[in-house]
């Protein structure tokens, strides 16, 4: 705080205000002075009290008792020197805060520095009354602020002087020493007394421990409780710790378990630490009562881990790879891997595999470990879905390895297997998956794959049962052929592979929402699985799928019957029950397990014919079709027209890229602008200009708009979503037409692809809406068709009359059971009796004639 100049006199009023302010600041200045003392003391003496805390900790725990007198004297000298150095350091840096320093600290904490203002004097305008009045008001206001000042808190932070936090370590050690240490041990006289060792009446003593490695889970061993000379088995790597108390000059120590050279007598320390590396002896002499103590250490080696397959590599019905294995280790397995590498020498290098494969890293899978229980010996199954990998169906080499806690690794013998994956029973789906594999094998197969895909999709109505699968396949084909050069990037290859996989799944599994279609699909898949030699598990899965589809179909028929009680039912519907169908499916599975595939196929064919008869009779009970079904057909036809239009536009773009036509050149013209002619001198037919394509696109958009407006009002969320998808398709068609008019074929193709996707989405949603309303529509159709009295065509026994006349019946006389099941049971009974040689010869001959005839 600055002093006023000598030439300027401070007025009496200002002096009075200053005295009054200083009087009110006595208490804040006292407290601020104490805080400044603590602050400066902390900054100056923190090394002293930190060093004192450390010395107290060492003494309270009796750490000096385990040292020799010479080392104790040396450490005591270091401790005292540190205290003196800390005291000198503090005294040289500590400054007692005077009144001016305290007042300046308070003044700096106030706004406007009021104490300094009280010491100031008016420099100019002292003769002006107005200036003098203003100055007096200013001084009075500063005096009020100074009188209201409070004490300033000290700043005890010294992190700039102690960046490593040594003071906190010392303080923590002091707290631990006060809680767990002993004050009686802080006497240095007992430590520095040369005759203190004589207090040990029993002479030098020792303590010893053996700590097995943590991963073994074994408890520690206290050597003082182990009898001398007894064999002591311990795991390899166990740590032995020996501590000697008292005069160690007369103690002898030797060991042969660590594999290290023996220590000289003058090298013996008060503590020995070593690990067990071999079997041997630990010997101590001259301790305690002077009797030699030794332990016969037997090292237990850590065994190598083990892993092996417990069964053949299997595949689940969903295509997941199942690998059963067994692993073991004496202390537990901590991890393991399975590595699959392509066996190129065993691969059939033909067709798409003739080219060298692109670099592909090995498949590495982590072995599963038990969540609960130990890992010393366990069995488990590794389940991994590798169906999307390019090596599915090819020979690979399987290598398994496990590792224990110390890093020992062991593996099983390599095995050659065929990499399992999802099986496709549909030939078309299998062909698509094969082309996907060839494309992933080497991208140079792209041209060949495009040719094969174009060939299989040439007549889609004869090959594809699922229109969505055809559209997905065509989308993959367009992306494969729509390349500005001959290269296929990684992103494009992966995108095409994903589309081909989706197409194969749609072909194999279908996208059917109708119960009748699901039933037909399930029958076909089960028949193909039996014919292709599927496993029992796969056949059981497909049979279960057929059973679910059949149950859904019968439930749908039951709902139709409830809504149309007056509708005539066919004889097959009354005779066949769900229990009988269940018996037929069980019999099919039994025949396949016995390897009688031909008989299983025959029974499945009978089941198919039976269900087809029911379906035919059910369809014949109604007449006409609903407005929604006709709309579905019209939209499907529109989508086919859009696909043809997109193919034509794509063909024109290919011709431009191949140089057969200049950009903007009209089809049928030469490059010089003259009209091209064929061999017969006539103009080339079948070619369209981009303007014609634009007109076709616009007409197709208007057709779609009229079809959308003709749809019945939406009463479900699916119906509203379908109409929104059709509106989106209309917008994309309009943009495609505009792009065609401007000659931008790539943009037009993109808009047409978006339109096809929107059309497909609209058809799917309409199909779901029709499925929900199918029962009501069929019920109305059955009411309109009408039916005669069902009792009018029955004979006196209540059976349905034959179709050839009113006399007799074509119904089966076997009530209750299915005639097919009953006939098979009779045939089995005849075979059983013919195998019984104890029967009379005449009966056996008769049974053999029956078998030969039937």
């Amino acid at each position: 705080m600055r002093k006023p100049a000598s030439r300027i006199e401070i007025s009496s009023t200002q002096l009075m205000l200053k005295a009054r302010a200083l009087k009110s600041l006595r208490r804040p200045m006292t407290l601020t002075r104490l805080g400044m003392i603590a602050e400066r003391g902390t900054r100056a003496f923190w090394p002293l009290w930190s060093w004192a805390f450390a010395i107290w900790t060492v003494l309270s725990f009796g750490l000096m008792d385990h040292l020799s007198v010479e080392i104790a004297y040396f450490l005591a000298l270091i401790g005292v020197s540190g205290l003196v150095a800390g005291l000198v350091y503090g005294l040289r840096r500590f400054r007692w805060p005077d009144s001016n320093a305290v007042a300046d600290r308070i003044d700096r904490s106030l706004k406007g520095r009021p104490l300094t203002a009280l010491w100031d004097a008016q420099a100019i305008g002292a003769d002006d009354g107005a200036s003098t009045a203003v100055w007096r008001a200013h001084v009075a206001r500063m005096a009020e602020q100074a009188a209201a000042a409070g004490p300033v808190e000290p700043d005890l932070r010294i992190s700039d002087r102690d960046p490593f936090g040594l003071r906190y370590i010392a303080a923590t050690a002091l707290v631990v020493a006060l809680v767990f240490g002993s004050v009686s041990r802080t006497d240095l006289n007992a430590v520095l007394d040369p005759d203190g060792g004589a207090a040990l009446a029993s002479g030098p003593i020792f303590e010893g421990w053996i700590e097995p490695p943590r991963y073994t889970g074994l408890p520690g061993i206290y050597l003082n409780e182990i009898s001398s000379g007894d064999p002591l088995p311990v795991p390899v790597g166990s740590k032995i710790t020996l501590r000697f108390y008292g005069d160690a000059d007369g103690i002898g120590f030797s060991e042969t378990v660590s594999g290290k050279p023996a220590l000289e007598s003058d090298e013996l320390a008060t503590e020995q630490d070593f690990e067990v590396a071999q079997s041997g002896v630990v010997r101590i002499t001259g301790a305690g009562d002077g009797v030699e103590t030794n332990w016969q250490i037997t090292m237990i080696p850590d065994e190598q881990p083990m892993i092996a397959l417990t069964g053949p590599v299997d595949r689940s019905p969903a295509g997941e790879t199942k690998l059963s294995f067994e692993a073991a280790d004496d202390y537990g397995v901590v991890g393991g891997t399975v590595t699959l590498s392509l066996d190129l020498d065993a691969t059939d290098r033909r067709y798409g595999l003739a080219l060298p494969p692109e670099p592909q890293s090995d498949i590495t899978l982590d072995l599963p470990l038990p969540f609960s229980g130990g890992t010393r010996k366990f069995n488990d199954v590794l389940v991994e879905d590798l169906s999307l990998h390019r090596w599915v169906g090819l020979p690979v080499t399987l290598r398994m390895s496990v590792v224990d806690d110390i890093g020992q690794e062991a593996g099983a013998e390599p095995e050659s297997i065929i990499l399992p994956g999802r099986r496709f029973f549909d030939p078309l789906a299998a062909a698509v998956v094969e082309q996907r594999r060839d494309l992933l094998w080497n991208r140079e197969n792209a041209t060949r794959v495009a040719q094969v895909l174009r060939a299989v999709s040439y007549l889609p109505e004869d090959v594809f049962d699922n229109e969505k699968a055809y559209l997905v396949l065509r989308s993959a084909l367009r992306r494969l052929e729509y390349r500005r050069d001959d290269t296929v990037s990684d992103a494009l290859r992966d995108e095409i592979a994903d589309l081909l996989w989706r197409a194969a799944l749609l072909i194999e599994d279908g996208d059917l929402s109708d119960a009748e279609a699901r039933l037909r699909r399930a029958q076909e898949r089960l028949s193909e699985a039996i014919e292709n030699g599927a496993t029992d598990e796969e056949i059981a899965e497909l049979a279960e799928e057929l059973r679910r589809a059949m149950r859904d179909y019968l439930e749908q028929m039951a709902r139709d019957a409830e809504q149309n009680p007056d509708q005539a039912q066919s004889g097959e519907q009354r005779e066949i029950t769900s229990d009988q169908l269940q018996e037929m499916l069980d019999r099919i599975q039994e025949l396949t397990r016995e390897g009688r595939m031909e008989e299983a196929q025959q029974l499945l064919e009978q089941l198919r014919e039976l269900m087809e008869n029911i379906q035919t009779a059910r369809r014949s009970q109604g007449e006409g079709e609903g407005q929604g079904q006709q709309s579905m057909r019209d939209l499907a036809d529109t989508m086919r027209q859009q696909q043809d239009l997109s193919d034509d536009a794509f063909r024109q773009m290919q011709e431009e890229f191949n140089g057969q036509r200049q950009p903007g050149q009209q089809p049928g013209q030469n490059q010089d602008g003259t009209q091209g002619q064929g061999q017969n001198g006539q103009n080339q037919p079948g070619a369209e200009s981009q303007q014609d394509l634009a007109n076709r696109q616009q007409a197709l958009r208007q057709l779609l708009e009229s079809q959308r407006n003709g749809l019945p009002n939406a009463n479900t969320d699916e119906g509203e979503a379908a109409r929104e998808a059709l509106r989106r398709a209309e917008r994309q068609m309009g943009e495609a037409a505009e792009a065609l008019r401007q000659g931008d074929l790539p943009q037009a193709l993109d808009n047409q692809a978006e339109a096809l996707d929107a059309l497909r989405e609209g058809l799917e949603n309409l199909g779901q809406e029709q499925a929900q309303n199918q029962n009501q529509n069929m019920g109305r159709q059955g009411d309109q068709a009408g039916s005669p009295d069902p009792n009018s065509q029955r004979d006196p026994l209540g059976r349905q009359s034959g179709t050839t006349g009113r006399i007799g019946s074509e119904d089966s006389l076997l009530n209750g059971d299915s005639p097919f099941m009953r006939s098979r049971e009779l045939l089995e009974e005849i075979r059983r009796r013919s195998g019984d040689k104890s029967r009379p010869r005449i009966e056996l001959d008769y049974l053999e004639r029956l078998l030969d005839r039937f």
Side-chain angles (χ1 to χ4, degrees), residues 544-562:
E544 180 63 27
E545 179 183 348
L546 177 59
R547 188 176 291 110
R548 290 193 300 265
M550 192 173 297
R551 181 173 60 250
D552 295 341
Y553 179 72
L554 293 177
E555 290 177 357
Q556 180 177 347
M557 291 176 58
R559 289 193 298 268
D560 292 345
E562 291 178 0

Side-chain angles (χ1 to χ4, degrees), residues 136 157 249 301 314 318 385 390 393 400 459 602 795 852:
R136 292 176 179 176
R157 294 173 297 179
D249 293 340
D314 200 2
D385 189 3
R390 67 184 66 178
M400 305 176 62
L459 296 175
Q602 292 177 359
D795 63 0
D852 293 338

Side-chain angles (χ1 to χ4, degrees), residues 56-119:
W56 179 272
T57 303
V58 171
L59 295 177
S60 62
F61 278 109
L63 300 179
M64 299 288 288
D65 298 342
H66 306 290
L67 304 177
S68 62
V69 176
E70 292 79 4
I71 296 177
Y73 269 109
F74 179 72
L75 294 179
L77 180 61
I78 292 177
V80 173
S81 301
L83 292 175
V84 173
L87 179 61
V88 172
Y89 176 86
L91 293 176
R92 291 182 61 182
R93 283 164 176 76
F94 181 78
R95 295 292 182 271
W96 189 267
D98 56 5
S99 299
N100 291 331
V102 174
D104 186 67
R105 172 69 65 88
I106 296 176
D107 191 31
R108 291 179 182 274
S109 66
L110 299 176
K111 184 177 179 181
R113 304 290 295 272
L115 294 180
T116 302
L118 292 177
W119 283 102

Side-chain angles (χ1 to χ4, degrees), residues 3-15 117-127 132 135-136 139:
K3 298 294 185 178
S6 58
R7 62 181 179 87
I8 300 176
E9 297 181 358
I10 302 177
S11 64
S12 59
T13 304
Q14 186 172 349
L15 291 175
L118 292 177
W119 283 102
D120 289 340
Q122 186 177 1
I124 59 175
D127 298 334
T132 304
W135 173 254
R136 292 176 179 176
V139 171

